């Protein structure tokens, strides 16, 4: 919220002013009323307009905070709405800008869109690699962030050249990469999309920064943080809601993380948990105002290739998702768990993954790398992988016409079975509660109780008079309507 | 079996790579050079192959990537000999025990449960490997250490900081600390392991320090000294091997530590 | 023929006694009456029984030959029949032996059979490689012979350790490899088949040796020698007939060479020439007494992978062959022409080739190698290739159930078009003659006139009284019937 | 452009292989060793990688093949530098001419047709390459030499013996002999080329000998002296290049021969 109000920069230790400000507020008045009222009240009292300056003063200990009431509260609310509203208008402008650029440069010619990751750990190596990937055919570039970032309770500042298996997600890195890809889009006559993560302890902030820097997609799952980062479940559900409201407003497509379950659980036995999670993600997304066209629901090609008829099982699962969510741009994830150091076999598996992708009409295809079990992708891995995708889409792009699962046959039976297991599980969850199911290890065989996990300290119940101008604006009637109207981000459908 | 015996068993000491004829020395190499594709780039690729000892080098594939890079595939005969006698391997120098034997030995000789603390440290969140070793479920048909009645297992999970780990080891009176490291980009696994072993050295006197074990798919098992740990386990480790080693190092052959 | 009569061994220069004998006969009486009459006449006159000894004497110049007549001719004919008949009985025994071993060890569990080549150029390297391949899953081993052999007018002798891109086909090499594979069959509980070439100037001799050494398949095409070795067309048609009669008798499956056309001609434009050649090969094979189950008609995955929908075009071609020859164990050949030094891409293409093989029910699958454009296969190439085949057959072996070419769609249209082009071409050939069509470069865009080509000297018109005991026996009524009765070489169908 | 210029153009002289970061030196290698799969075999594979200059070497895949062989895949950082300035390349040292220019130059300066004899020699029967250069059809959108009005092309086809070739060259008064060699197993292409050039040296005095050109996908273009030929053409040669070279060597710059 404060990001939308324009707070930026960091202290000499790299802790952003946003965080210093929130810390100061929480120390004095707690979190129960939200930070907007105390902050804008203090701003008025100090006679200031720049919230970043206020944060600096607060960090120095020279500002007092209180929860205002009466006229002071009304004034603070007004100022907050204005300030945050300006941020949201910036997001709106970036969305219009995206629509304009898509109109000018065009969308990819084919489905699925080709989605590629860069993960050098240095934004200045990432940029040329992303541009090379775009030139070689990538439609979407995902910049992987450093391993530790999801557990940082702040967003680092500036351009970064470090990190393991990826560099940090920062506003400046977003800006640099988006600018580079705008250049590539122009060169290639095709709008190249950019992706990062709205995930981890800073989910909402990431969403805001993504909107402000015109990212196009964000990894954003309702349960990933709980299961794979051991973040407190309640905090996660709250944060994902806000972040999705921002994404809805920004016209950003979310990518959910069901693929991750199959890296720890068995892809055949637990196939139905993917379906259940997709349904949950869909529900929470709709609830936060996202349109179907913004739902990059995830699923993955993770069946052990030694399993007889594994390819047909994959087809069954992929088709099931396709039929359950006909209007969602499903995100089809490549094999990872059963990839080994045998890179020749790896490239082959990726080819069959690509084939399922085109045979079942997936929306977004995350390109698999032959070195999956070895290193984060090399420049050449990406090139080989794209060549693989191109071959398959070009050579067999129309094969779905001739692919008719035999009525009552293996594929249909399998899809039915997964669906009925999913329904059973949903009924069981309905009897208990989702939080209980998560606590019991239903998803990805990870057990996560609601009263544990990282970031628990940041969870507080709303007190009377809680006020968050951002949610207020994002939930205002009409806005929801808008995102419903942008299923394919088609330029003519954009609101003025 | 020791390395020497193994060498003798094979009945030959010096071998070469094998393409389709004994002694042909054939290998395959691929790499990218940061130069645009032209004849000079191809010459550079052959030069590199030659320096690697490949001669003659057949440049069989060259493909431009982006503006300033070219990917190459080279086949050819490498001139190096492989001296099997000189191979340094960390062979298993302890007997492989069944769960029953492990329990019996701990019970008889140690007379208390053996305490094991495990974690993925640093920012690494890949728990599947350490879980395979520790959790009852195990891997490859073998149960994990939790299944052993005489072992007390504390699995701290992922993204544990080194101070947290040292503290837990102290609280649990750990006989052994098991650390997993899967992310290797920029040698993350090496940095984290060194940081961990240094912290234990600092926090505890030599005699009191738990046995330090690291594992992960990309470790070189011969680097124990360099990393300051007692043992390294690599790809495809099974819980039984780890349990057997624990008994060997902490119960039957304490000096091994 | 003389091979069947038991002539073996070679002179100190390595020229087999068979050849020395024929040369001596031809020098004195020409080829028009066949060699049987002069040879067995001389044998009787010399009071000898061993034809090899006669050959040695003839080479030394101490035997005279004549075309006998009257009683001498009758006696010679009888002796020749007896002697050659003994050879043919040896072939019959080897066939019974094969049937027994197949019964004991079993046929491969899956279709297509997995066919792998070894080509080290040294029989003693070939053997362990073949055994390793069998262990890794190969059902059929083809031993590639040296580049020059097809133009040798004799078959070398003994075990050989030299040759380029393969070592020589010799009777001893056949024997050594068959023995090694019998051992592997036993070890694996699956009869491993052995293949070589009845092709080139020694086509008939190769066929005889294959029968004698219990080879199981032979490359044998009615036009390959003409087109790709520039061997005289008439000689080729005569030789292929005799060699096929021997194959029919020996229960050997022939492999025809249509795949070769597509290495020089375009696989899309010239697809119909493959169909035409298959029909011709089928016709000539039936005519020589081969049963449908012995017809490994060839075709190949050779469309440029850059061609849009290339994979579906391949499916169309493969299905067409499958439907035209429902009872033939079609031999499906991998990509070669469009393979490059990019071995990663190569392995991928081979995977899609394997997929077509299983989706269209091919009978024999020649395993493609990722190093096709680089080297003759390495041990590891073969292992990687087999792993590829295993993955595809295991993961997608039942996919044909769900593959239903859309009625009137791309695949059906393509198959129809190729078929109608084939019919047009056959009509054109019918109007002229096959020899003219070949002379004009119809197949593999190679022009081969009937009065040119290698081995022309060995072509002679039959004169009155021409006698070949082998053809006589092989064409005897009942024999044809026999081969008709062995469609699957099932043991119970073997003649006593 | 000469090699030196090219080096200068690139603005840098020394590079390393590129995995995902400038200077990381990363390469991929695969090979088979004739040893059964065990730890010692893995150690041997790492040893070989080290000798090739890869350090650290990550052994990422090991798979037994048959009884006594193991296949390995290794990734790692190679320590060699590639010195672009030292790259020796056979750069095109003649102008690329159009068919029209070729014809014009032959007609004006030679004043007769230039006679070219082509063949696949030895037991090699791969004619697609030489046909691509000689036949009208050509390759890669360029017509072959038969299309050039002022060239007289005799294509002998496949599996031509060296004596047949020498004889044909004499009969056709060949200005140039073009030989293709595609099969390279056991260096067949090198043997055959040497045999061919020796035969021409023997059969004809230096001044009368036709220009000797070989081509094929696996030749090293720098080996002309070793093989006794005037020029070698490799992968992806086009007819235009060959025609231009013929004019250069036989018409415009006779001393080049
Ligand atoms: C599963 C997986 C995940 C899961 C992890 C789930 C979980 N709870 O563990 C999820 C989806 C969450 C994930 C996330 C990421 N991953 Co990941 N992941 C994998 C994957 C597919 C499999 C790893 C695995 O589970 N192997 C199976 C286990 C059983 O094997 P193992 O770990 O080798 O363990 C065995 C031995 O090594 C040994 N062992 C291991 N540890 C120990 C410890 C001791 C004490 C002992 C004795 C033995 C031992 O015994 C085990 C049993 O035999 C690999 C790719 C691959 N196919 O290998 C990538 C991979 C490991 N991931 C990678 C990366 C980069 C990431 C991310 C950073 C990507 C990102 N930025 O989003 C994230 C963040 C993770 C983080 N913070 O660390 C990279 C690492 C690259 C590198 N070499 O540096 C890999 C190689 C993929 C790639 N090529 O990019 N990942
Ligand atoms: C087509 C082909 C065949 C066809 C040949 C038809 C024909 N009429 O040529 C057939 C099916 C007959 C065949 C048979 C065999 N083949 Co073959 N074949 C191939 C294949 C698939 C393509 C070769 C080709 O046509 N390339 C296209 C042309 C245009 O490229 P190119 O030859 O490189 O030519 C270019 C340049 O090199 C240069 N050039 C070439 N020659 C010359 C000459 C001059 C003067 C100049 C200036 C330039 C020049 O210009 C050309 C145009 O750019 C390759 C595999 C592959 N994908 O490369 C295997 C391959 C060449 N064959 C191979 C083998 C072993 C055989 C056999 C021996 C196998 C067997 N035992 O059955 C047989 C026998 C052949 C024999 N006696 O030589 C091996 C050679 C292995 C090696 N490196 O030693 C290969 C590499 C396949 C393999 N991996 O096993 N083959
Ligand atoms: C939804 C989601 N968020 C985040 C991540 C990445 O992990 P981290 O948040 O730890 O960087 C993933 C990984 O695939 C994911 O699927
Ligand atoms: C029918 C046939 N014969 C023979 C060969 C092999 O060539 P050669 O006879 O020259 O050894 C092939 C090659 O694939 C073939 O298809």
């Amino acid at each position: 919220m404060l990001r939308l109000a324009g707070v930026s920069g960091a202290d000499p230790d790299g802790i952003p002013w946003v965080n210093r400000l929130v810390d100061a507020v929480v120390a004095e008045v707690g979190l129960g009323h939200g930070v907007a009222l105390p902050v804008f009240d203090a701003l008025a009292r100090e006679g200031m307009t720049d919230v970043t300056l206020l944060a600096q003063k607060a960090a120095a200990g020279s500002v007092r905070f209180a929860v205002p009431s009466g006229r002071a509260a009304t004034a603070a609310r007004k100022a907050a709405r204005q300030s945050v509203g300006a941020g949201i208008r910036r997001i709106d402008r970036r969305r219009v800008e995206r629509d304009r650029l898509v109109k000018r440069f065009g969308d990819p010619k084919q489905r699925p869109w080709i989605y590629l990751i860069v993960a050098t750990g240095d934004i200045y190596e990432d940029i040329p690699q992303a541009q090379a990937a775009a030139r070689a055919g990538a439609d979407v570039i995902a910049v992987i962030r450093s391993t530790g970032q999801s557990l940082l309770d702040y967003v680092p500042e500036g351009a970064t050249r470090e990190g393991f298996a990826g560099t940090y997600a920062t506003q400046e890195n977003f800006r640099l990469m988006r600018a580079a890809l705008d250049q590539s889009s122009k060169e290639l006559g095709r709008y190249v999309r950019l992706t990062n993560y709205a995930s981890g302890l800073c989910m909402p902030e990431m969403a805001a920064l993504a909107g402000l820097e015109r990212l196009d997609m964000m990894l954003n799952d309702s349960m990933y943080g709980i299961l794979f980062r051991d973040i407190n479940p309640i905090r996660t559900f709250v944060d994902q809601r806000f972040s999705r409201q921002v994404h809805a407003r920004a016209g950003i497509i979310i990518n959910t993380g069901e693929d991750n379950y199959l890296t720890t659980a068995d892809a055949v036995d637990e196939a139905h948990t993917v379906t259940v999670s997709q349904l949950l993600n869909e529900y929470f997304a709709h609830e936060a105002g996202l349109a179907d066209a913004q739902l990059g629901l995830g699923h993955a090609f993770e069946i052990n290739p030694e399993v007889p008829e594994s390819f047909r099982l994959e087809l069954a699962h992929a088709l099931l998702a396709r039929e359950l969510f006909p209007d969602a741009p499903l995100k089809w994830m490549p094999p990872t768990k059963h990839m080994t150091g045998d890179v020749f076999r790896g490239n082959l598996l990726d080819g069959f993954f690509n084939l399922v992708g085109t045979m079942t009409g997936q929306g977004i295809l995350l390109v698999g790398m032959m070195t999956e079990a070895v290193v984060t992708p090399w420049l050449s891995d990406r090139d080989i992988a794209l060549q693989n995708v191109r071959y398959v889409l070009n050579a067999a792009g129309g094969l779905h016409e001739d692919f008719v699962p035999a009525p009552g046959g293996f594929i249909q039976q399998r899809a039915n079975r997964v669906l009925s297991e999913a329904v059973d599980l949903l009924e069981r969850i309905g009897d208990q509660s989702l939080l209980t199911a998560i606590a019991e290890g239903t998803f990805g065989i990870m057990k996560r109780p609601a009263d544990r996990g990282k970031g628990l300290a940041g969870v507080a119940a709303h007190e009377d008079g809680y006020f968050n101008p951002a949610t207020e604006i994002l939930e205002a009637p009409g806005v929801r309507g808008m995102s419903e109207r942008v299923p394919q981000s088609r330029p003519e459908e954009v609101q003025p | 079996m020791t390395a020497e015996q193994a060498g003798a068993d094979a009945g030959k000491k010096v071998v070469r790579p094998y393409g389709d004829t004994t002694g042909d020395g054939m290998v395959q190499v691929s790499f990218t050079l940061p130069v645009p594709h032209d004849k000079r780039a191809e010459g550079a690729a052959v030069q590199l192959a030659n320096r690697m000892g490949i001669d003659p080098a057949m440049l069989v594939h060259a493909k431009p990537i982006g503006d300033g890079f070219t990917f190459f595939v080279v086949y050819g005969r490498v001139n190096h000999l492989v001296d099997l006698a000189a191979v340094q391997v960390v062979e298993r120098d302890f007997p492989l025990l069944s769960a029953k034997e492990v329990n019996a030995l701990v019970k008889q000789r140690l007379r208390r449960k053996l305490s094991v603390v495990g974690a993925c440290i640093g920012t690494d969140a890949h728990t599947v490997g350490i879980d395979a070793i520790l959790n009852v479920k195990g891997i490859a048909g073998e149960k994990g250490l939790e299944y052993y009645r005489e072992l007390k297992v504390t699995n701290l999970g992922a993204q544990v900081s080194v101070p947290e780990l040292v503290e837990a080891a102290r609280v649990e009176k750990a006989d052994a600390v098991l650390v997993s490291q899967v992310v290797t980009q920029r040698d993350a696994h090496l940095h984290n392991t060194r940081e961990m072993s240094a912290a234990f050295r600092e926090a505890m006197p030599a005699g009191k320090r738990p046995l330090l074990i690291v594992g992960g798919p990309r470790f070189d098992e011969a680097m124990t000294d360099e990393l300051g740990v007692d043992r390294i386990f690599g790809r495809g480790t099974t819980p039984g091997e780890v349990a057997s080693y624990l008994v060997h190092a902490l119960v039957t052959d304490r000096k091994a530590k």
Side-chain angles (χ1 to χ4, degrees), chain A, chain B:
Chain A
M1 189 279 297
L2 290 171
R3 290 273 176 192
L4 294 173
V7 187
S8 66
D11 74 9
D13 293 338
I15 310 291
W17 295 121
V18 168
N19 293 69
R20 302 294 310 257
L21 179 55
V22 173
D23 289 348
V25 172
V26 172
E28 288 192 58
V29 299
L31 206 53
H33 298 85
V35 293
L37 284 179
V39 163
F40 283 91
D41 173 59
L43 206 65
R45 274 189 283 113
E46 300 280 326
M48 295 167 71
T49 52
D50 183 341
V51 193
T52 307
L53 276 180
L54 179 79
Q56 290 165 353
K57 276 189 104 167
S62 56
V63 189
R64 294 273 73 86
F65 292 100
V67 180
S69 59
R71 280 195 38 207
T74 313
R77 257 187 282 226
K78 186 170 172 216
R81 276 190 204 107
Q82 232 169 34
S83 176
V84 171
I88 292 183
R89 276 194 302 281
R90 271 166 64 209
I91 291 183
D92 291 343
R93 280 199 299 277
R94 305 315 300 263
R95 178 177 184 152
V96 172
E97 186 179 46
R98 177 190 307 112
D99 294 331
R100 186 163 38 78
L101 292 174
V102 170
K103 191 169 182 180
R104 182 180 319 155
F105 300 135
D107 264 325
K109 281 185 205 59
Q110 86 297 332
R111 279 283 181 178
W113 288 354
I114 298 169
Y115 180 115
L116 240 146
I117 70 171
V118 296
T120 68
D122 177 342
I123 187 70
Y124 293 110
E125 297 276 350
D126 281 346
I127 287 174
Q129 297 213 10
Q131 292 187 313
R135 239 175 259 129
D139 302 313
V140 185
I141 299 290
V143 181
I144 305 301
R145 60 188 195 179
S146 180
T147 49
Q149 186 159 13
S150 44
L151 297 187
L152 290 183
D153 214 341
Y154 64 90
V155 181
E157 276 292 320
T160 61
R161 312 198 62 166
E162 77 233 329
F164 295 113
T167 192
Y168 293 96
T170 72
Q171 184 164 8
E172 178 63 5
N173 288 348
F174 286 4
R175 196 187 63 75
L176 287 169
M177 187 58 92
R178 188 57 268 172
L181 293 182
D182 281 348
Q183 198 189 318
S184 298
S185 303
K186 194 169 168 189
E187 173 193 326
L188 299 167
R190 158 171 63 84
Y191 183 71
V192 181
R193 287 180 168 75
L194 175 59
T195 304
N196 212 294
Y197 301 80
S199 200
L201 292 173
C202 287
M203 205 182 230
E205 290 192 70
M206 289 295 180
L209 295 177
L212 291 170
E213 297 301 336
R214 189 170 30 88
L215 269 61
D216 309 281
M217 299 190 180
M218 291 297 270
L219 271 78
N220 180 274
D221 190 276
S222 60
M223 301 192 291
Y224 174 88
I226 306 171
L227 301 172
F228 294 90
R229 291 293 166 269
D230 197 10
I231 295 174
N232 176 266
I234 297 172
R235 173 160 178 163
T236 300
F237 284 118
V238 173
D239 281 356
Q240 64 92 22
R241 180 165 193 273
F242 180 77
S243 61
R244 286 177 177 196
Q245 291 178 325
V246 177
H247 289 329
R249 181 77 178 213
I252 283 176
I253 295 174
I254 62 164
N255 298 174
T256 62
E258 286 79 1
D259 53 290
N260 297 290
Y261 304 165
L262 304 184
T263 64
T264 50
D266 183 79
V268 175
D269 299 344
E270 304 296 326
H272 62 289
T273 63
V274 170
T275 309
V276 167
S277 173
Q278 288 167 336
L279 290 165
L280 293 173
N281 262 312
E282 181 194 39
Y283 175 82
F284 288 125
H286 282 162
E287 201 270 331
L290 285 159
D292 282 333
Q294 286 175 292
L295 302 191
L297 299 172
H299 55 151
F301 185 98
E302 287 281 23
I303 300 174
N304 185 339
E306 303 290 321
V307 169
E309 301 294 339
S310 64
F311 182 76
R312 294 168 85 202
L313 289 168
E314 296 287 6
L315 277 170
H317 297 178
L319 261 186
L320 175 62
R322 181 68 291 166
E323 295 189 356
L324 286 177
F325 309 101
D327 299 320
L330 298 182
K331 184 178 179 201
W332 180 228
M333 302 286 290
T336 63
K337 185 176 172 178
H338 298 287
M339 295 291 276
T340 68
D342 183 349
V343 289
F344 302 104
R345 169 178 167 282
N347 195 40
L348 175 70
L349 278 189
D350 283 332
F352 279 74
F353 155 77
N354 292 334
L355 185 60
V356 172
T358 172
M359 281 171 79
T360 59
Q362 302 300 315
I364 303 166
L365 184 132
L366 191 141
V367 177
M369 302 285 151
M370 66 178 196
T371 48
E372 171 60 33
V374 183
V375 287
T376 45
W378 289 358
L379 185 69
S380 54
D381 295 332
R382 225 171 280 123
D383 198 69
I384 289 169
L386 277 173
Q387 170 175 286
N388 186 327
V389 172
R390 268 199 311 271
Y391 168 67
V392 177
L393 297 192
N394 182 47
L399 190 59
H400 56 87
E401 283 175 29
D402 316 303
F403 167 58
V404 187
F410 184 88
I411 292 183
Q412 282 193 1
Q413 282 185 26
R414 175 64 194 168
N416 280 336
R417 169 142 177 218
V418 173
L419 186 56
S420 78
E421 285 175 5
V423 171
D424 287 353
L425 176 57
L426 278 169
E427 280 168 0
R428 271 208 311 286
I429 294 176
D431 291 345
Q432 324 161 338
S433 91
L434 179 56
L435 289 174
T436 319
I438 292 172
E440 290 177 351
T442 304
F443 300 99
I445 50 172
M446 303 294 209
K447 297 187 186 165
R448 304 297 188 201
D451 58 353
R452 290 266 299 277
K454 300 180 167 130
L456 178 60
V459 178
H462 288 184
E463 292 186 25
D464 268 4
Y466 172 84
F467 170 69
N468 181 334
T471 347
E472 194 184 275
I473 298 174
L474 293 169
E475 289 177 0
V479 171
R480 164 87 59 115
M482 163 180 137
S483 56
E484 298 282 27
R485 274 175 24 230
V486 205
Q488 297 288 359
S489 289
R490 296 213 200 89
E492 61 275 25
E493 285 172 343
V494 163
Q495 87 159 14
Chain B
M1 188 159 77
T2 67
E4 283 86 327
Q5 283 173 323
D9 283 359
K12 51 184 171 181
K13 293 268 180 218
V14 171
V15 296
R16 280 174 181 282
Y18 181 102
D20 67 349
T21 315
T22 302
D24 62 16
M26 301 302 270
V27 303
Q28 176 275 128
V29 183
S30 74
F31 52 81
T32 300
L33 291 180
V35 285
H37 181 214
D38 56 16
K39 287 213 158 188
R40 190 177 49 105
E42 299 200 354
V46 171
Q47 186 196 87
L48 176 63
N50 291 157
R51 296 211 170 153
M52 293 173 78
I54 303 172
D55 193 6
M58 288 197 287
L59 182 86
V60 302
H61 178 62
K63 177 167 185 298
I65 306 183
D67 270 348
F69 297 89
T70 312
F71 176 64
F72 300 96
V73 178
V74 177
Y75 276 77
R77 173 189 175 85
V78 80
N79 294 321
H80 309 293
L81 297 174
V82 178
D83 183 354
L84 293 178
V87 172
Q88 301 264 336
V89 185
V90 181
E91 291 279 349
R92 185 163 49 72
D93 48 7
F94 52 86
L96 208 52
L97 308 174
S98 69
K100 226 171 152 171
E101 292 167 322
V102 167
N103 286 332
L105 282 166
V106 173
K107 195 162 186 181
Q108 284 161 26
R109 310 243 195 125
L110 201 65
R111 300 208 198 145
R112 59 170 171 84
K113 298 210 172 184
L114 195 152
S115 169
V116 170
V117 171
C120 283
I121 59 168
T123 54
D124 201 326
H126 290 90
T127 53
V128 179
I130 185 92
D131 287 349
I133 302 297
L134 297 182
N135 291 4
V136 175
K137 196 180 163 205
I139 193 168
E142 282 188 18
K143 302 267 186 220
L145 302 193
E146 282 179 359
Y147 170 79
Y148 291 67
R149 215 181 35 241
E150 300 298 325
L151 303 187
K152 179 165 142 281
V153 174
T154 313
N155 186 347
L156 301 176
Q159 300 194 313
V160 175
S161 74
V162 168
E164 275 164 19
L165 177 67
V166 174
E167 189 46 33
R170 207 191 304 270
V171 170
E172 301 293 340
K173 298 202 176 61
D175 296 292
V177 168
L178 275 65
V179 160
S180 181
Q181 286 288 277
V182 173
V183 174
T184 61
Q185 207 203 28
R186 303 183 170 206
D187 291 337
H189 59 315
L190 306 180
H191 295 302
N192 288 337
T193 304
R194 285 202 192 94
E195 184 190 332
M196 182 270 296
S197 62
F200 274 99
R201 267 198 308 281
E202 197 156 297
M204 303 172 181
K208 299 262 174 176
R209 213 183 300 140
L211 197 70
L212 299 182
I213 302 175
V214 288
R218 299 280 161 263
F219 276 107
D220 176 345
E221 299 186 355
M223 283 177 74
T224 42
D225 289 351
E226 250 173 286
L227 297 179
V229 296
D230 296 291
R231 189 85 178 194
I232 300 176
F233 286 93
R235 282 184 309 139
T237 306
T238 63
E241 290 169 344
V242 179
S244 303
Y245 171 69
L246 289 174
V247 168
H248 169 74
L250 292 170
V251 181
T252 55
D253 182 26
R254 294 229 38 159
K255 69 186 174 312
K257 197 181 139 178

